[in-house]
């Protein structure tokens, strides 16, 4: 069987391990009320990209999971540096998103 290679050195054959590794970054949300969207992130994680993910995925997920109980939840993220930027905090405030930085920072 011929091996096919991606430009980044990863093998195209599923389940075939090589000397190169491939990593994926994802964003998703889950709650007591259900599961939201799961998104593969294919760009560098900067505050503008994170806000774009929130705009296109978080808002829809919240609407689907909490249609009867809007604003009765606390948004938690893993407190990565991009989550603490002024732009992200401003966006969360503008959209009345209650987040809990203390709970997010617990490891």
């Amino acid at each position: 069987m011929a091996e096919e290679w991606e430009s980044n050195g990863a093998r195209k054959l599923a389940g075939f391990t090589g000397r190169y590794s491939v990593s994926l970054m994802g964003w998703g949300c889950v709650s007591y009320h259900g599961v939201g969207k799961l998104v593969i992130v294919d760009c560098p994680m900067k505050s503008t990209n994170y806000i774009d993910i929130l705009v296109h995925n978080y808002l829809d997920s919240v609407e689907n999971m909490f249609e009867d109980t809007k604003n009765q939840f606390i948004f938690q993220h893993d407190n990565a540096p991009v989550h603490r930027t002024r732009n992200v905090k401003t966006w969360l405030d503008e959209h009345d998103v209650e987040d809990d930085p203390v709970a997010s920072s617990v490891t």
Side-chain angles (χ1 to χ4, degrees), residues 12-103:
K12 285 185 178 180
L13 302 174
F16 199 93
T17 57
R19 73 174 213 192
Y20 298 100
S21 64
V22 177
S23 63
L24 292 173
M25 183 186 324
W27 178 93
C29 62
V30 63
S31 79
Y32 173 81
H33 297 285
V35 178
K37 292 183 175 184
L38 175 62
V39 180
I40 301 301
V41 178
D42 61 354
C43 58
M45 191 50 64
K46 297 180 180 177
S47 64
T48 53
N49 298 339
Y50 184 58
I51 290 170
D52 190 54
I53 289 169
L54 294 175
V55 166
H56 292 101
N57 301 288
Y58 166 79
L59 295 175
D60 289 342
S61 294
V62 168
E63 188 174 306
N64 291 333
M65 288 187 290
F66 297 97
E67 58 188 294
D68 296 330
T69 59
K70 285 191 178 172
N71 296 324
Q72 294 185 10
F73 62 93
I74 298 173
F75 179 65
Q76 293 181 326
H77 40 96
D78 65 5
N79 219 15
V82 71
H83 300 161
R84 298 187 312 261
T85 64
R86 183 176 300 140
N87 293 344
V88 171
K89 288 181 180 184
T90 299
W91 187 91
L92 293 172
D93 288 342
E94 288 173 351
H95 289 84
D96 298 322
V97 176
E98 181 182 353
D99 66 334
D100 189 349
V102 175

